Amino acid sequence: MTFSAEDATAASEPFRRLVEEVGKTVVGQQPLIRRMLTALLAGGHLLIEGVPGLAKTTAVACLARAISTDFQRLQFTPDLLPADLTGTQVYRPQDQQFVVQKGPIFSNLILADEINRAPAKVQSALLEAMQERQVTIGSETFPLAEPFLVMATQNPVEQEGTYPLPEAQLDRFLMKVVVDYPTRDEELQILRRMSKTKAEILVNAVTSPAEILQARNHVDQIHVSEAIEEYIVDLVMATRKPVAYGLPLEELISYGASPRATINLTLCAKANAFLEGRAFVTPADVQTIAMDVLRHRVIITYEAEAEEKTPEMIVQTILDGVRVP
């Protein structure tokens, strides 16, 4: 049975209501809320970067409340241990045996707050859970419940007490969203809404984990034409071999995006089309999402840093230079 535009519009309606619910508490930050939904529908994880105080944590907490799902907030600190996330084996003297005590990672929605304030061994403890959707404790392996989503916030790496995330872990994130300061009007609205000794989170549950899993099935049915597929592959290939696309970026890119980027860019474009109420992907869907999918996967050279180039500048050059179907 063909998935039509009418089907897409009807199926995506609860998620438009979800945006409205989160917006009752979170002022502005529409791109962030939209990317959170995209990650949820595409079945990937989201890395949110921004200075403290920009409602990153609040936005994720509001999303969990609007979905009516299990939610765990993990505050990453320099003294955190891997077992604090995944759990450990505990000895029971009365039984004279070890039993598994599961950690907070066993939840549907995980907020890894300030993830880059914990050392690499703790960050790496998330790798198996994020990629394999399972956790190994001792000799036992436990599957994680679906939907499972890690939304990690991090402070800019220039700030005190931060550790850069390993490239292998960065690649596990579907998207990296950079959150900026609100506009003047938004700041005024924040002042009027939140300047209370006890600010309320006015979010009602509008969907459920079961509906999210059903929506993912709809996302899988979104049509991607051959021309769009080739466009996505060209964008990713241009991060590895820019000269082949007439882009003078060879000396600026140390490592390009992996095949995981191709998969994730396609999934995110389909999820974006679904949220727009369409049953097919357009080049605009790809372009809308490409920066957030690619920015953390393009590793720049020392020459690029010396020239004050950023991964965002390079990705934008690729988007401008690769032919659009």
Side-chain angles (χ1 to χ4, degrees), residues 88-233:
T88 188
Q89 290 181 316
V90 178
Y91 183 71
R92 283 187 176 173
Q94 63 270 32
D95 301 326
Q96 294 188 346
Q97 63 181 4
F98 285 93
V99 295
V100 171
Q101 182 72 44
K102 292 183 179 180
I105 196 73
F106 290 89
S107 186
N108 291 116
L109 187 59
I110 302 294
L111 171 59
D113 209 9
E114 297 188 309
I115 189 174
N116 61 335
R117 291 197 182 278
K121 65 179 180 180
V122 178
Q123 297 169 4
S124 298
L126 279 175
L127 286 179
E128 182 187 16
M130 290 172 64
Q131 184 61 28
E132 308 297 335
R133 301 293 201 278
Q134 64 182 28
V135 171
T136 300
I137 303 173
S139 59
E140 293 185 73
T141 300
F142 302 90
L144 294 166
E146 287 288 353
F148 174 72
L149 182 66
V150 174
M151 292 191 181
T153 68
Q154 72 168 9
N155 301 124
V157 293
E158 296 83 9
Q159 292 200 343
E160 279 301 313
T162 59
Y163 300 81
L165 295 179
E167 285 86 350
Q169 187 175 358
L170 280 173
D171 198 38
R172 287 331 194 264
F173 284 100
L174 182 80
M175 290 181 287
K176 176 184 174 182
V177 180
V178 177
V179 180
D180 206 352
Y181 289 108
T183 64
R184 186 184 184 279
D185 290 341
E186 289 170 347
E187 191 104 13
L188 193 60
Q189 196 175 344
I190 291 169
L191 181 152
R192 290 168 178 165
R193 185 181 295 184
M194 306 299 288
S195 57
K196 305 172 185 175
T197 55
K198 187 177 180 182
E200 297 180 6
I201 296 180
L202 305 170
V203 177
N204 298 311
V206 296
T207 186
S208 66
E211 288 180 307
I212 290 167
L213 294 178
Q214 185 177 11
R216 286 181 181 177
N217 292 330
H218 294 319
V219 169
D220 287 338
Q221 297 178 61
I222 299 292
H223 177 68
V224 185
S225 68
E226 285 189 21
I228 297 294
E229 289 176 342
E230 291 182 8
Y231 179 51
I232 290 170
V233 170

